[in-house]
Amino acid sequence: MNKQQLMNGIVSLQDYDTTSTKQPTSSRYTAKKAFILAFIVALVCSVVSYTRVLNELTSSSMHLRDEVTFNSRPPPTSAQRYRNGNQYPMDEADFIIQQSYSETYARMATAPCKDSDVEAQCIRIVADYLDEQKRRLVNATTANSDTTILSSYKPLPWWFQTLLRDIPVNGAYGFWHHFSTNATSPPLKFCAIGKNGSTEWRKIFKALNAPEFGGVENSKFNTKVPMSDDMSVTPHTVFLRDPLERLLSGYLDKCVKDAVRKSQGHCEPNSIFGVDYLERKATKQQKENGEDVSVDIAPSLLDMDGWFDKEKFATYVDLLPLKWNVHFVPQSIFCDLYRTIETYDTYLMGKEFMPELDRMAKRYGGLLPEVLDDIFNYQTRLSDARDEAEKNVGASNVHGTRAPSKVAQYYSARAIRRALEYLSIDYVTLGLDAPDWAREMLRDDV
């Protein structure tokens, strides 16, 4: 009902009152009451119709706005999918990450670790706490002669239990993961993670600290005087890497390179994959003892004839938790990142590595830009006009593996599924996302 119709109704009502004075009072009152009621009903219907149209227009506008915003918004990470439940669609990679994290690493947060319980101390508390939970269930079952008590318990995967067993003693909590320098402004601390360029970062911090130690030859990757842990005084920094890519990089460096595998013994368990390392140790020991050299060790699985790279790597991924080597431990474990990552200034390796180095150099200044450029040549590479894809093939140093360019050669869908279980903590707690190539490989595995 528009304004003109409303005015006509009022005029008609006035005319009716004037011309109906000769009618009986009760009849005039009844007719007037009916007319007013009809008018009110029509007015209400008009308001409802107007409101409905307005809501539809508003809804359409909001839908369009949300659509535009969603399309311009980056896809959610695996961590966002985990924290927001069904808010985002999930594929197989996300499902594996969420399920594995819930069954394993999420339980670590329930352990009674205090802020003062750091690194290996907290992990031992976690292990004892989980063992105590199992003992209580067993005792309750025995005391009540009721086996149904255990029916609700979800057993911990074997690989998670061996991880808790190994990381307090395998070097994951060594002092060599903590770097510091006063040669930046402000001073900073750095969490160095194996297979995240730690060899280069060691050189960088030794160069930064060289003035304090009288030269690079005598320099250390830590300052002489311990630095404050107060984040407002000494920021903490870390470079993170895609977990799947880092796992492959570790395998290519520590297992595929014959000289490295034989000399370092990091392709563990050595009784399965590092047999030549054990032979070398045994031969050396026999020679030192003046004994005849005679070594009889079962052949390595990596020496199996006719195996493709995918088969060898998948086998290694399956069995590496028999003895967790420090180079394959999830990044979240180092420096207690699974507890402290929110306090860190984080940077990412990968396609944006050079821009990330530039961002870090500008953030902290001092000697850092010069030293970073000496090691990574990032300023030249930033200005290089080559295709970005050419830059993401891994470092060319002695520990470089060019892992990003080899994922299709070594990864199978089976290896991805297993690796995502082990590394789910990195994707959830560090805010990383499973790479597109891994998602596509899982989708294509039909």
Side-chain angles (χ1 to χ4, degrees):
M1 180 177 291
N2 57 31
K3 181 176 181 180
Q4 185 60 44
Q5 291 174 319
L6 180 61
M7 293 302 297
N8 291 340
I10 295 174
V11 171
S12 299
L13 182 59
Q14 292 173 342
D15 292 343
Y16 176 83
D17 288 339
T18 303
T19 58
S20 60
T21 52
K22 295 182 179 180
Q23 297 179 8
T25 303
S26 59
S27 299
R28 290 202 307 272
Y29 177 77
T30 302
K32 184 176 180 179
K33 182 178 180 181
F35 183 83
I36 292 175
L37 182 61
F39 172 76
I40 293 174
V41 170
L43 182 61
V44 170
C45 290
S46 298
V47 172
V48 171
S49 299
Y50 174 77
T51 303
R52 183 178 301 163
V53 172
L54 181 61
N55 287 339
E56 290 178 356
L57 290 174
T58 304
S59 177
S60 299
S61 176
M62 291 179 66
H63 176 73
L64 180 60
R65 182 193 65 194
D66 290 343
E67 188 177 59
V68 172
T69 303
F70 178 80
N71 289 336
S72 63
R73 188 182 299 150
T77 65
S78 298
Q80 290 172 324
R81 289 185 174 96
Y82 177 83
R83 295 188 181 110
N84 294 283
N86 297 324
Q87 181 177 343
Y88 300 110
M90 288 197 306
D91 59 11
E92 184 180 359
D94 295 314
F95 177 79
I96 294 172
I97 291 170
Q98 292 197 19
Q99 184 180 47
S100 178
Y101 181 82
S102 297
E103 293 179 352
T104 55
Y105 299 108
R107 302 191 192 186
M108 293 169 60
T110 63
C113 288
K114 302 175 183 177
D115 291 342
S116 57
D117 298 322
V118 298
E119 299 192 333
Q121 295 172 317
C122 183
I123 288 298
R124 291 190 176 96
I125 292 174
V126 168
D128 291 342
Y129 172 74
L130 295 177
D131 286 342
E132 180 61 25
Q133 284 187 321
K134 287 189 289 187
R135 283 194 294 269
R136 288 179 180 178
L137 285 173
V138 171
N139 293 338
T141 301
T142 303
N144 296 282
S145 300
D146 183 6
T147 57
T148 61
I149 295 178
L150 293 175
S151 61
S152 61
Y153 176 73
K154 292 184 178 181
L156 294 170
W158 73 272
W159 59 263
F160 179 67
Q161 298 186 63
T162 59
L163 178 69
L164 296 179
R165 177 199 68 193
D166 293 342
I167 54 178
V169 295
N170 72 355
Y173 294 126
F175 68 89
W176 50 87
H177 296 295
H178 300 272
F179 297 175
S180 61
T181 185
N182 285 310
T184 56
S185 181
L188 63 84
K189 289 189 173 183
F190 185 84
C191 177
I193 301 174
K195 302 315 303 174
N196 284 18
S198 59
T199 300
E200 283 69 36
W201 287 110
R202 189 175 293 109
K203 296 177 182 177
I204 288 169
F205 275 81
K206 289 183 70 174
L208 290 171
N209 293 333
E212 185 178 359
F213 288 89
V216 175
E217 297 78 9
N218 300 319
S219 186
K220 308 290 183 181
F221 50 74
N222 274 313
T223 55
K224 284 185 177 181
V225 179
M227 300 175 66
S228 171
D229 286 327
D230 186 348
M231 286 291 296
S232 63
V233 177
T234 312
H236 290 45
T237 60
V238 64
F239 259 88
L240 303 175
R241 186 177 188 179
D242 171 62
L244 292 178
E245 181 185 307
R246 175 175 173 266
L247 175 62
L248 176 58
S249 179
Y251 173 78
L252 294 175
D253 183 29
K254 305 304 180 185
C255 296
V256 174
K257 293 180 179 178
D258 292 339
V260 175
R261 183 184 65 249
K262 187 175 182 178
S263 62
Q264 295 183 359
H266 287 310
C267 190
E268 298 183 284
N270 284 307
S271 58
I272 300 176
F273 301 107
V275 173
D276 46 3
Y277 170 75
L278 297 179
E279 290 176 342
R280 174 178 168 274
K281 283 187 62 178
T283 299
K284 181 180 179 181
Q285 186 65 44
Q286 289 174 350
K287 288 181 177 180
E288 290 177 352
N289 295 338
E291 303 172 359
D292 294 333
V293 177
S294 177
V295 179
D296 183 17
I297 302 177
S300 168
L301 278 182
L302 297 180
D303 294 331
M304 295 291 289
D305 294 332
W307 279 27
F308 294 113
D309 292 334
K310 288 180 183 287
E311 293 173 305
K312 291 181 180 180
F313 182 56
T315 302
Y316 182 74
V317 172
D318 282 341
L319 299 179
L320 76 86
L322 287 172
K323 186 176 182 182
W324 282 89
N325 182 269
V326 64
H327 296 88
F328 303 94
V329 169
Q331 298 167 83
S332 301
I333 300 300
F334 297 93
C335 307
D336 275 354
L337 290 179
Y338 71 98
R339 303 170 67 193
T340 61
I341 189 61
E342 297 298 330
T343 66
Y344 272 76
D345 185 16
T346 59
Y347 300 85
L348 298 176
M349 300 178 67
K351 290 184 178 181
E352 298 301 316
F353 185 45
M354 297 303 149
E356 288 286 79
L357 289 174
D358 186 53
R359 183 167 69 90
M360 184 182 187
K362 292 176 178 177
R363 165 75 173 83
Y364 294 102
L367 296 178
L368 188 59
E370 178 184 350
V371 175
L372 284 179
D373 196 47
D374 287 342
I375 300 297
F376 292 113
N377 194 27
Y378 78 96
Q379 294 178 357
T380 300
R381 297 178 71 178
L382 273 176
S383 60
D384 198 329
R386 289 178 301 176
D387 186 349
E388 285 298 318
E390 294 292 324
K391 299 181 181 180
N392 186 35
V393 292
S396 57
N397 57 68
V398 66
H399 293 286
T401 59
R402 304 178 78 83
S405 65
K406 297 181 179 180
V407 291
Q409 178 182 349
Y410 284 88
Y411 264 109
S412 61
R414 190 187 93 192
I416 290 173
R417 291 186 180 99
R418 183 68 69 194
L420 287 177
E421 290 183 11
Y422 303 160
L423 305 172
S424 59
I425 187 174
D426 286 348
Y427 288 110
V428 173
T429 63
L430 302 182
L432 303 175
D433 193 27
D436 290 338
W437 60 262
R439 297 179 186 277
E440 292 172 4
M441 198 175 291
L442 292 178
R443 284 195 294 268
D444 293 341
D445 184 45
V446 294

